[in-house]
């Protein structure tokens, strides 16, 4: 109920304007979003690197309306790679296909993705294509496979809640594709959290056994413990996979995994379009809403 109200509010322009122009809510957004500019996110990336964590940078935004806007997004990502290289950061990039014109034309979008992946490859880096709503799953998997056939510097994301995910994982592995695995609450597919978790563990084991380097993306201590157990059982080295978590979520767990010698990569979003992302993070936990309201009334 609370979650759906917050998610509905994330589509409300008046509320968006109020949140993004209010100094208190802008400050609060910094818990989950590194800032609005490239300079700010680079500073955050430096700090996380110093704390022993790799990062993946995402310039927030989705569903662009014109080819010109998609090309501007492509230019932004090219600039991010140049900057990462110049600052010698342990960082790569995550982006969404609808930000790169997938709604306009898959062929056009593929051209932009390829140019970004080639820039990533030129720096020996990597481009992660995020998975969006389930209406985009098929097109995303197809496009990523086509780009992967041209460069190894691209991979994508699989969500454990979809029935089709096991077959997508096997399909992507046959292309040598690196996968980020995460779970997401949804009424769309596996209806029970226990089934989503069970599928997460099943897919995680397939990925670990594949011999490619994957991202196990979760803040759930049970999923993390299952991963550590599965890797140890199969004698898979700590350097052969990484845990991934969101900026500002379970920082205690992030630090503990680094201390225990695991590779950890933090997903760090930034940009002017931070409002829907911020609302999604708030909606995920009732405690986040308490944090939001407490700070608002304190101001
Ligand atoms: C690397 C990465 C990339 C992601 N990319 C996207 C994306 O592009 N778009 C998108 O919408 N979602 C994204 N997600 C979020 C994902 O969709 C889930 O919502 C999120 O990961 C919750 O699942 P969980 O594995 O943390 O398990 P859960 O069982 O949901 O959570 C486990 C524990 O984590 C903590 N936790 C989880 N979420 C929060 C939160 N928001 N605030 C505070 N504590 C929290 C709580 O302690 C909770 O008990 C991403 C997640 C990761 C880790």
């Amino acid at each position: 109920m609370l979650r759906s109200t917050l998610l509905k509010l994330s589509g409300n322009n008046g509320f968006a304007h109020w949140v993004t122009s209010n100094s208190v809510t802008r400050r609060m957004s910094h818990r989950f979003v590194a800032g609005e500019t490239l300079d700010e996110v680079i500073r955050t990336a430096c700090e996380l690197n110093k704390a022993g964590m790799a990062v993946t940078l995402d310039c927030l935004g989705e569903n662009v309306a014109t080819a010109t806007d998609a090309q501007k997004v492509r230019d932004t990502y090219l600039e991010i790679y140049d900057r990462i290289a110049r600052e010698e950061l342990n960082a790569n990039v995550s982006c969404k296909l609808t930000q790169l014109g997938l709604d306009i034309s898959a062929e056009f979008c593929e051209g932009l993705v390829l140019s970004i992946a080639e820039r990533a490859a030129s720096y020996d880096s990597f481009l992660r294509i995020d998975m969006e709503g389930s209406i985009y799953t098929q097109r995303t998997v197809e496009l990523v496979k086509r780009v992967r056939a041209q460069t190894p510097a691209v991979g994508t994301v699989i969500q454990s809640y979809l029935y089709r995910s096991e077959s997508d994982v096997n399909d992507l592995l046959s292309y040598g594709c690196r996968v980020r695995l995460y779970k997401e609450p949804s009424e769309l597919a596996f209806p029970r959290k226990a089934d989503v978790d069970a599928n997460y563990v099943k897919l995680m084991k397939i990925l670990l056994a594949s011999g490619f380097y994957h991202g196990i993306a979760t803040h759930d201590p049970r999923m993390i413990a299952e991963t550590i157990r599965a890797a140890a059982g199969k004698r898979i080295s700590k350097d052969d996979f990484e845990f991934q978590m969101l900026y500002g979520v379970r920082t205690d767990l992030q630090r503990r995994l680094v201390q225990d010698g695991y590779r950890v990569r933090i997903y760090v979003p930034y940009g002017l379009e931070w409002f829907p992302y911020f609302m999604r993070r708030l909606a995920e936990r009732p405690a986040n809403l308490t944090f939001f309201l407490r700070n608002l009334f304190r101001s």
Side-chain angles (χ1 to χ4, degrees):
M1 162 78 175
L2 189 60
R3 179 181 159 81
S4 61
T5 309
L6 280 175
L7 291 177
K8 246 183 232 139
L9 274 175
S10 72
N12 181 305
N13 288 340
F15 189 64
H17 178 73
W18 182 78
V19 170
T20 52
S21 54
N22 178 298
S23 64
V24 177
T25 46
R26 285 174 69 82
R27 217 170 37 244
M28 271 187 262
S29 72
H30 289 148
R31 172 169 168 201
F32 298 115
V33 180
E36 293 186 343
T37 66
L38 183 54
D39 281 342
E40 286 171 289
V41 79
I42 292 290
R43 260 200 308 277
T44 302
C46 269
E47 284 162 17
L48 289 165
N49 278 183
K50 278 189 196 132
M53 297 174 215
V55 299
T56 185
L57 306 183
D58 178 13
C59 181
L60 292 166
E62 47 204 77
N63 297 99
V64 297
T66 69
T68 309
D69 287 343
Q71 282 159 337
K72 279 191 198 145
V73 172
R74 184 258 331 261
D75 293 344
T76 299
Y77 281 114
L78 296 179
E79 188 190 351
I80 296 176
Y81 280 110
D82 293 344
R83 195 65 196 277
I84 287 172
R86 207 171 340 125
E87 311 275 347
E88 299 182 351
L89 293 173
N90 182 359
N92 64 31
V93 164
S94 294
C95 73
K96 294 186 168 45
L97 292 185
T98 64
Q99 208 181 5
L100 292 164
L102 184 60
D103 292 327
I104 300 164
S105 142
E107 203 182 351
F108 167 72
C109 179
E110 185 178 327
L112 299 189
V113 173
L114 185 59
S115 60
I116 302 172
E118 281 171 346
R119 181 67 60 94
S122 76
Y123 290 121
D124 209 11
S125 186
F126 184 70
L127 172 64
R128 175 81 58 189
I129 303 296
D130 281 340
M131 192 54 81
E132 300 176 68
S134 52
I135 58 162
Y136 294 110
T137 308
Q138 183 65 27
R139 280 177 283 171
T140 302
V141 170
E142 291 303 327
L143 191 148
V144 168
K145 286 192 310 190
R146 288 195 298 274
V147 177
R148 175 63 186 82
Q150 299 172 75
T151 168
V154 73
T156 189
V157 177
I158 291 293
Q159 300 149 321
S160 71
Y161 74 91
L162 293 176
Y163 294 127
R164 59 174 288 163
S165 289
E166 183 173 353
S167 125
D168 284 336
V169 160
N170 288 322
D171 193 12
L172 289 162
L173 288 177
S174 72
Y175 280 74
C177 222
R178 288 167 54 180
V179 171
R180 169 196 293 153
L181 177 66
Y182 74 63
K183 63 191 174 106
E184 184 165 299
S186 169
E187 290 81 41
L188 271 182
F190 285 111
R192 295 188 314 131
K193 183 176 187 307
D195 294 330
V196 177
D197 287 359
N199 201 40
Y200 191 97
V201 172
K202 181 179 185 184
L203 299 182
M204 171 272 288
K205 288 179 177 170
I206 295 174
L207 292 176
L208 286 190
S210 71
F212 301 118
Y213 185 87
H214 300 292
I216 306 301
T218 181
H219 315 92
D220 184 342
R222 280 198 325 109
M223 298 300 108
I224 290 170
E226 290 277 5
T227 306
I228 290 173
R229 199 172 313 131
K234 295 276 178 202
R235 297 185 186 283
I236 293 164
S237 151
K238 289 177 178 175
D239 290 332
D240 288 342
F241 66 97
E242 65 187 25
F243 288 107
Q244 297 186 354
M245 297 192 206
L246 300 181
Y247 180 63
V249 176
R250 293 301 309 258
T251 47
D252 57 329
L253 208 47
Q254 298 172 8
R255 280 195 298 268
R256 187 152 14 108
L257 285 167
V258 171
Q259 274 163 14
D260 291 346
Y262 290 97
R263 291 185 179 220
V264 175
R265 184 179 301 275
I266 307 301
Y267 175 100
V268 190
Y270 83 101
L272 294 171
E273 295 184 42
W274 52 265
F275 172 73
Y277 179 88
F278 177 57
M279 292 301 285
R280 282 204 291 271
R281 297 291 79 79
L282 286 183
E284 273 165 357
R285 324 262 359 130
N288 290 349
L289 188 68
T290 317
F291 152 84
F292 181 74
L293 294 174
R294 202 178 332 111
N295 280 282
L296 207 55
F297 289 121
R298 203 184 276 158
S299 63

